[in-house]
């Protein structure tokens, strides 16, 4: 396990160095995304605002941001589960030119494949610590606010050593959580035994 | 007479407390988990989480950005006199939710399920959701629960009908298998507080599971011996799996297994699980005659079962 501090723009070499289990702190421009934005762009023909195409860090999150007269006040930030955005995951990686996706959990097969092909990694939080993260984030602006609302609009952020996040999908298609899940499953048989669940147990079919 | 003005203050306080002030039993369980942990990632994950929770308490900031489905559990004294009645209580509660949302204690999370319309204040058809329990006395107690999206959406809430032929073995297998599947990649924010409902119709089991997960303190046990044994056996078995915090690996995989039950039909046994985030969020206030309100550490939802 290595610890990296990355600044966007990030080179292909830097992405290639990252391996599952490594820890990353990240600086630079990023934007936020949830299903509504993906559906608008990929299903409803809304054009992604051009300046976002220059961003290479996407964060799956729905922050709490209060609008004041002068600016936007970031109250709380926590990455949300990426797995639910799988439907358009591969297209976001390729068409939006992403190098890093930050989100809770992980992504599915199609996105992992696209990430390997174009050199992108997925980072996942190890804790639930929004208050440790907000001071590393500056809100720079927002697009499509009236259409998307404050949770789902693409917020433009500037990150200052935001982290730590763990690399759970690297650019070689390795998946940290698949490895960890295999370890959990390898212990299931002895847990069944401790619970008195017999090896040949099968549910009676009720329908 | 319990005045709506005091009820409003108590409900708003319950929301703010629930969202920002994680209960002592939860903090203690997370601290004990950190002290017992050997996995480096889980130690750091627990430490960062505890640090953030302390800041939330001090600065009244949401403990998690996802402030969840707003659920309210009222214990109403059989002889309580509520100004305007129960409908006024519900209207007052909606007003408190709107205010808490405007102030940033709650995120604007609730949407129309088909159109995606966002009212911007967490108020809509059947939201917030109200559950009532009637108890002796003249008091009114409100508990606000934030039921997080992660813990609810990604497999943490499931149910199954188990045949009597499969009995306890089938019940245990369903619980442990469901929990393991739901914790994949940290989806439900493990180590969860795992609520289990056994018996009744499917929705009775699901309600009992949710209430067991969200309203019972960590470390409490069902008073009946065979259910306590089941809680302890499942707790030990799940904690032998090495799931850890956010599924990063580690020796705490579940913080508590809380089981509640109902008598069931001879045809079969409904079993439901409801996982609550490891930063379980609940806030309880008691309103007494003379319109005094008091913070309660324990919702004591199952005191009379």
């Amino acid at each position: 396990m290595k610890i990296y501090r990355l600044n966007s723009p990030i080179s292909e070499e830097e992405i290639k160095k990252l391996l599952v289990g490594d820890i990353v702190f990240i600086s630079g421009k990023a934007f936020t995304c949830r299903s509504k934005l993906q559906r608008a762009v990929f299903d409803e023909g809304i054009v992604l605002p051009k300046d976002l195409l220059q961003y290479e860090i996407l964060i799956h999150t729905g922050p709490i941001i209060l609008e004041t007269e002068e600016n936007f006040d970031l109250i709380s930030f926590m990455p949300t589960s990426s797995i639910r955005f799988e439907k358009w995951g591969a297209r976001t990686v390729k068409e939006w030119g992403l190098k890093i996706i930050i989100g809770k959990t992980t992504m599915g097969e199609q996105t992992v494949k696209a990430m390997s092909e174009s050199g992108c990694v997925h980072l996942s939080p190890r804790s639930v610590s929004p208050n440790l993260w907000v001071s590393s984030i500056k809100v720079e602006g927002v697009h499509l606010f009236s259409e998307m609302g404050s949770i789902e609009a693409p917020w433009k952020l500037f990150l200052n050593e935001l982290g730590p996040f763990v690399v759970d999908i690297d650019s070689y298609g390795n998946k940290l959580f698949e490895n960890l899940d295999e370890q959990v499953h390898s212990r299931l048989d002895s847990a069944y035994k401790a619970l008195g669940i017999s090896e040949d147990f099968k549910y009676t079919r009720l329908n | 007479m319990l005045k709506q003005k005091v009820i409003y203050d108590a409900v708003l306080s319950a929301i703010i407390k629930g969202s920002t002030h994680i209960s002592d039993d939860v903090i203690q369980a997370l601290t004990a988990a950190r002290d017992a942990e050997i996995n480096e990632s889980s130690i750091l994950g627990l430490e960062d989480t505890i640090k953030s929770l302390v800041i939330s308490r001090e600065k009244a900031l949401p403990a998690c950005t996802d402030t969840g489905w707003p659920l309210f559990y009222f214990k109403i004294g059989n002889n309580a006199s509520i100004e305007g009645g129960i409908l006024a209580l519900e209207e007052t509660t909606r007003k408190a939710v709107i205010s808490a949302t405007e102030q940033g204690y709650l995120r604007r999370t609730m949407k129309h399920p088909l159109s995606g319309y966002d009212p911007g204040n967490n108020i809509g058809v059947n939201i917030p959701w109200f559950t009532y329990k009637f108890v002796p006395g003249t008091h009114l107690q409100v508990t606000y629960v934030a039921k997080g999206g992660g813990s609810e959406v990604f497999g943490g809430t499931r149910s199954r009908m188990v045949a009597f032929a499969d009995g306890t073995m089938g019940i245990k297998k369903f619980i442990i298998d469901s929990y393991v599947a739901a914790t994949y990649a940290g989806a439900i924010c493990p180590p969860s507080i795992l609520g289990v409902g056994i018996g009744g119709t499917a929705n009775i089991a699901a309600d009992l599971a949710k209430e067991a997960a969200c309203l019972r303190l960590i470390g409490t046990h069902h008073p009946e011996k065979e259910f306590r044994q089941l809680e302890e056996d499942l707790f030990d078995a799940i904690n032998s799996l090495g799931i850890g915090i956010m599924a990063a690996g580690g020796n705490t995989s579940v913080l508590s297994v809380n089981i509640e039950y109902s008598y069931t039909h001879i045809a079969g046994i409904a079993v439901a699980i409801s996982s609550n985030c490891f930063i379980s969020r609940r806030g309880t206030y008691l309103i007494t005659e003379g319109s005094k309100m008091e913070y309660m550490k324990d919702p004591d939802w199952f005191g009379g079962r």
Side-chain angles (χ1 to χ4, degrees):
Chain A
M1 182 194 87
K2 287 183 178 164
I3 297 174
Y4 292 96
R5 290 172 199 279
L6 300 179
N7 277 286
S8 176
I10 303 159
S11 72
E12 210 179 310
E13 289 69 40
E14 284 177 295
I15 292 295
K16 288 216 156 119
K17 274 188 202 165
L18 302 176
L19 299 173
V20 287
D22 287 342
I23 297 298
V24 176
F25 292 83
I26 188 103
S27 301
K29 284 174 178 291
F31 73 103
T32 69
C33 170
R34 295 182 74 102
S35 304
K36 199 167 184 173
L37 178 68
Q38 295 185 331
R39 186 188 289 183
V41 171
F42 297 118
D43 262 14
E44 293 162 8
I46 307 270
V47 178
L48 187 76
K50 256 189 183 162
D51 59 333
L52 296 182
L53 288 172
Q54 282 154 35
Y55 287 57
E56 47 188 26
I57 304 166
L58 182 77
I59 308 180
H60 292 146
T61 184
I64 303 179
I65 296 178
L66 294 184
E67 307 99 68
T68 62
E69 281 190 11
E70 292 92 38
N71 56 7
F72 298 108
D73 193 6
L74 178 64
I75 305 287
S76 191
F77 166 89
M78 169 80 202
T80 195
S81 290
S82 293
I83 193 72
R84 79 173 78 123
F85 307 119
E86 178 61 15
K87 186 171 181 180
W88 292 292
R91 290 188 70 181
T92 59
V93 171
K94 295 214 159 175
E95 294 175 33
W96 296 357
L98 303 177
K99 289 217 172 87
I100 288 183
I101 301 173
I102 301 172
K104 218 182 86 184
T105 67
T106 189
M107 300 294 301
E109 286 305 323
Q110 291 303 313
T111 309
V112 171
K113 186 165 170 276
M115 291 166 75
S116 304
E117 286 165 3
S118 59
C120 177
V121 299
H122 186 270
L123 309 180
S124 195
R126 304 183 304 172
S127 62
V128 177
S129 48
N131 298 314
L132 306 188
W133 290 321
V134 285
S135 56
S136 305
I137 301 171
K138 189 167 169 266
V139 180
E140 293 197 318
V142 64
H143 282 298
L144 302 166
F145 184 81
S146 56
E147 295 91 332
M148 302 274 157
S150 79
I151 305 179
E152 303 215 62
W155 289 96
K156 299 192 282 186
L157 310 176
F158 193 88
L159 316 179
N160 182 16
E161 297 214 347
L162 181 67
F165 300 117
V166 64
V167 179
D168 71 279
I169 302 170
D170 62 26
S171 61
Y172 304 97
N174 298 311
K175 290 176 282 182
L176 175 70
F177 287 117
E178 207 162 82
N179 304 342
L180 290 166
D181 196 49
E182 275 171 21
Q183 291 174 30
V184 169
H185 275 85
S186 73
R187 300 180 188 112
L188 251 184
D189 281 343
S190 58
Y192 288 155
K193 206 172 172 188
L195 288 171
I197 300 168
S198 58
E199 280 177 34
D200 58 352
F201 174 83
K202 278 203 174 75
Y203 289 112
T204 303
R205 264 194 79 171
L206 297 177
N207 57 2
Chain B
M1 176 78 78
L2 305 174
K3 300 277 190 199
Q4 288 300 327
K5 171 74 184 74
V6 181
I7 293 173
Y8 176 84
D9 290 345
V11 174
L12 186 57
S13 300
I15 298 170
I16 295 171
K17 206 84 166 177
S19 176
T20 68
H21 187 104
I22 296 303
S23 309
D24 289 348
D25 62 305
V26 179
I27 300 264
Q28 281 158 13
L30 293 173
T31 307
R34 181 202 59 194
D35 293 346
E37 191 52 76
I38 48 166
N39 177 291
E40 193 189 350
S41 182
S42 271
I43 291 172
L44 294 173
L46 284 162
E47 276 180 357
D48 281 356
T49 301
I50 293 166
K51 273 185 211 161
S52 183
L53 293 180
V54 170
I55 295 170
S56 277
R57 277 183 167 206
E58 287 168 0
K59 297 187 176 174
L61 289 165
C64 181
T65 312
D66 170 20
T67 58
W69 278 269
L71 311 178
F72 289 91
Y73 294 87
F74 293 104
K75 271 168 71 172
I76 299 181
N78 191 40
N79 297 108
S81 169
I82 296 169
E83 182 190 9
I86 304 298
L87 293 179
L89 168 66
E90 293 188 350
E91 199 46 37
T92 296
T93 303
R94 290 188 196 97
K95 282 182 189 153
V97 169
I98 291 169
S99 173
T101 308
E102 282 169 355
Q103 294 179 68
Y105 295 113
L106 300 182
R107 188 178 63 174
R108 288 169 268 191
T109 304
M110 295 294 109
K111 300 170 66 159
H112 187 281
L114 298 185
S115 69
Y117 167 71
D118 175 7
N121 59 12
N122 288 314
I123 303 294
V125 174
N126 284 320
I127 285 293
W129 182 253
F130 304 113
T131 304
Y132 300 99
K133 187 163 267 194
F134 300 99
V135 295
T138 56
H139 300 166
L140 170 66
Q141 182 184 282
V142 54
T143 298
Y144 160 77
V145 166
K147 188 62 176 66
S151 71
E152 192 73 15
V153 170
F154 301 103
T157 296
R158 296 184 191 202
S159 71
R160 179 186 183 107
M161 288 292 174
V162 172
F164 268 100
D166 299 340
T168 312
M169 209 184 281
I171 291 170
K172 288 179 188 170
K173 182 153 168 51
F174 170 72
I175 295 166
I176 192 167
D177 286 350
S178 303
Y179 187 73
V180 167
T183 54
Y184 178 74
I188 60 168
C189 293
S192 312
I193 297 148
L194 177 58
V196 177
I198 299 174
T201 58
N203 67 303
I204 293 172
D207 281 345
L208 288 170
K210 180 159 277 86
E211 291 164 15
C214 299
L215 299 173
R216 260 178 57 183
L217 299 196
I218 295 174
T220 58
H221 288 288
H222 197 283
E224 293 179 36
K225 201 175 151 196
E226 64 253 67
F227 285 97
R228 180 181 178 136
Q229 190 66 50
L230 201 50
E231 288 175 346
E232 289 176 349
D233 290 349
L234 283 160
F235 179 83
D236 291 343
I238 293 171
N239 277 320
S240 74
L241 296 174
I243 296 167
I245 181 168
M246 303 306 272
N251 55 21
T252 299
S253 299
V254 69
L255 287 182
S256 187
V257 179
N258 301 346
I259 302 179
E260 294 296 330
Y261 81 99
S262 146
Y263 271 56
T264 192
H265 196 290
I266 197 169
I269 312 157
V271 187
I273 66 162
S274 174
S275 311
N276 200 7
C277 331
F278 66 88
I279 56 158
S280 164
R281 284 160 292 161
R282 57 175 129 80
T284 302
Y285 275 80
L286 179 71
I287 307 159
T288 54
E289 285 292 332
S291 292
K292 283 186 184 145
M293 59 181 240
E294 183 187 348
Y295 170 68
M296 307 297 285
K297 287 193 170 183
D298 184 356
D300 190 25
W301 188 250
F302 290 105
R305 289 293 141 194

